[in-house]
Amino acid sequence: MLYVAIRYFAMNYALFWIFSYSLAHGAVPLLEIKAEQRRIRSEMTQALQAERWTVLLKQYESISRLRHKKAPLVFEDHILGATAASELGDVTK
């Protein structure tokens, strides 16, 4: 089980950095950005329901890196990030 979790995390982490690099250089179309935001939002919702605050905070940090003029973050994204930080005792985030 731990192996599966580590492998899943490593795969998503690698894909995230490839996606972030492409985003920084303007190579990612807007539809892909919105799709990635939807995917992360669904994972944030699942983490909230399971009360996995560290996972939720990491997902918030991931989605906050995907900001784009035409695909801004929504209010609920910030609320979920603040809730996770508050539950972990970090009120500075």
Side-chain angles (χ1 to χ4, degrees), residues 55-87:
V55 172
L56 181 57
L57 189 57
K58 287 182 186 210
Q59 292 297 342
Y60 173 72
E61 291 168 355
S62 296
I63 202 169
S64 66
R65 290 187 197 113
L66 292 175
R67 276 182 286 194
H68 190 276
K69 281 191 264 184
K70 295 184 180 181
L73 298 181
V74 296
F75 180 73
E76 289 80 14
D77 297 335
H78 298 294
I79 292 297
L80 289 176
T83 301
S86 175
E87 289 292 330

Side-chain angles (χ1 to χ4, degrees), residues 19 22 27-38 66:
F19 186 77
S22 299
V28 179
L30 183 60
L31 291 176
E32 290 183 22
I33 294 170
K34 288 184 177 184
E36 183 67 8
Q37 285 179 338
R38 275 193 307 273
L66 292 175

